[in-house]
Amino acid sequence: KGMKYLIIIVLMFVLELVYFRIADRLNIIDRPNERSSHSVVTLRGGGIIFYIGAMLYFVFHGFAYPWFIAGLSLISIVSFVDDVHSLTPKLRLTLQFTSMLLMFGQWNLYAVDTWWMILVALFVCTGIINVFNFMDGINGITGGYSLVILAALAYVDLFVVKDFVDINMIYVSMIAVLVFCFFNFRKKARCFAGDVGSVSIAFIILFVWGKLVLVTRDLSWLTFMVVYGVDGVLTIFHRLMLHENISQPHRKHAFQLMANELKIPHVVVSLIYMAMQGCMCVWYIAMPGYTTLLLSIAVLSVAYVLFMKKYFCLHK
């Protein structure tokens, strides 16, 4: 088993470096724009390693979860194409829905009599995937935040709700995130995740998290993603209050204000988000239930509002 993981780790590093060569040759780069928190042209799409990791898990562990892998393949390809050449929102959303419907098949969601649950699941999953995509804006935040969630899910699988999913899938996903962090979680990133990275890791986390929710029949596990959720939702409300078009690029997330206006190093901001989500995960594991979810939303919402009241005036 140790040798299998060693091979997977080596393959991930090699394939990531191969991708860098391809991206450099094909000019797959991220140019700074009005939404960016960086000022240097950087390779885009390094987060493809998350999809590569999932495929290595699939091959090395008995071709498990084929419908999920099919959905992940579709959404990763769509996101990668969107990184290289922008797709229309309608086409992108249609293909995202198709990917999620494939994942629902792996969840065995279609065996449930209440059809409206599928609509609710589509709404929740679309929201989570897009929040992950919106929040991918500074070095280390996507990789670091995802690592915290995966670590919490691994703990639950080992000690709380045992074997709700194959633990090897979480381990391989964590290795993929660590490989990406090696190139991204630094002052001068070698690559950015791109849509293919933020969307694919969100899809992987969603699949594992959804398995947990379906086994326990408890949506309060949303606490494991509450920091992104509060920041994403309240930022949308804030922009609506400012009469802005929420589909347009912006730099109004709390983490963007920290990095751009307060000049806090990207790595430090990412560590702050990791620490906050880690605390919420520990709190929930110690005191599970909807009370903890609601209290965590309340605490983070108050912190967000106070932060914005004090520092939003600095926004350029």
Side-chain angles (χ1 to χ4, degrees):
K1 191 172 182 179
M3 181 57 68
K4 183 187 291 186
Y5 275 106
L6 181 60
I7 293 170
I8 288 173
I9 291 169
V10 171
L11 282 173
M12 283 193 196
F13 270 107
V14 169
L15 291 171
E16 183 77 321
L17 291 170
V18 168
Y19 172 75
F20 289 169
R21 295 287 297 274
I22 294 170
D24 190 44
R25 185 166 297 179
L26 299 180
N27 204 33
I28 304 173
I29 55 176
D30 196 302
R31 297 184 185 278
N33 57 37
E34 64 271 24
R35 181 190 166 209
S36 303
S37 296
H38 65 282
S39 57
V40 179
V41 174
T42 308
L43 291 177
R44 180 193 295 176
I48 198 171
I49 194 65
F50 306 142
Y51 172 65
I52 291 171
M55 290 306 298
L56 289 174
Y57 161 77
F58 185 60
V59 171
F60 279 86
H61 291 89
F63 304 100
Y65 307 129
W67 289 110
F68 158 69
I69 292 294
L72 177 63
S73 297
L74 177 59
I75 204 167
S76 298
I77 291 168
V78 169
S79 301
F80 183 73
V81 171
D82 198 39
D83 275 330
V84 178
H85 180 74
S86 293
L87 300 174
T88 62
K90 185 176 180 181
L91 176 61
R92 185 171 61 246
L93 195 59
T94 299
L95 294 172
Q96 284 184 358
F97 279 173
T98 304
S99 302
M100 285 182 272
L101 291 173
L102 288 167
M103 180 170 67
F104 293 171
Q106 193 69 68
W107 282 348
N108 203 27
L109 201 59
Y110 303 121
V112 180
D113 294 332
T114 46
W115 60 269
W116 55 266
M117 283 184 63
I118 296 171
L119 295 179
V120 172
L122 268 178
F123 176 78
V124 171
C125 292
T126 302
I128 290 173
I129 285 174
N130 282 288
V131 165
F132 264 78
N133 199 12
F134 295 154
M135 296 293 288
D136 178 35
I138 61 172
N139 301 353
I141 197 165
T142 292
Y145 190 81
S146 299
L147 191 61
V148 170
I149 298 173
L150 289 168
L153 289 168
Y155 179 87
V156 172
D157 191 70
L158 289 170
F159 303 109
V160 183
V161 185
K162 294 185 177 181
D163 301 322
F164 71 86
V165 75
D166 182 6
I167 192 67
N168 291 296
M169 181 182 175
I170 302 179
Y171 288 160
V172 174
S173 298
M174 290 175 72
I175 292 169
V177 171
L178 287 169
V179 170
F180 173 72
C181 285
F182 178 80
F183 296 105
N184 175 262
F185 206 137
R186 53 173 78 178
K187 183 177 180 180
K188 186 177 180 181
R190 178 87 183 272
C191 68
F192 294 146
D195 285 357
V196 65
S198 56
V199 170
S200 61
I201 195 61
F203 197 82
I204 292 167
I205 289 172
L206 256 180
F207 173 69
V208 178
W209 175 83
K211 292 275 287 181
L212 178 58
V213 168
L214 289 168
V215 167
T216 60
R217 297 186 177 275
D218 189 348
L219 264 175
S220 65
W221 293 103
L222 273 170
T223 309
F224 277 18
M225 294 178 275
V226 72
V227 174
Y228 263 20
V230 169
D231 190 315
V233 171
L234 292 186
T235 299
I236 290 173
F237 281 134
H238 188 195
R239 296 190 69 206
L240 289 172
M241 289 170 62
L242 295 171
H243 305 291
E244 293 184 0
N245 182 348
I246 61 173
S247 67
Q248 294 300 311
H250 69 96
R251 299 205 309 184
K252 292 183 174 67
H253 284 292
F255 76 87
Q256 290 169 322
L257 290 179
M258 291 180 192
N260 300 321
E261 277 67 41
L262 298 179
K263 305 301 179 184
I264 301 173
H266 287 201
V267 170
V268 174
V269 176
S270 297
L271 288 170
I272 290 171
Y273 270 71
M274 290 173 67
M276 287 194 297
Q277 187 57 69
C279 289
M280 296 302 159
C281 291
V282 171
W283 185 11
Y284 183 86
I285 290 169
M287 300 176 62
Y290 286 97
T291 300
T292 298
L293 172 61
L294 294 174
L295 284 174
S296 64
I297 292 173
V299 169
L300 291 168
S301 297
V302 169
Y304 177 92
V305 171
L306 292 176
F307 178 83
M308 286 296 175
K309 284 189 71 173
K310 185 169 184 179
Y311 296 113
F312 189 72
C313 60
L314 302 175
H315 180 66
K316 299 172 183 177

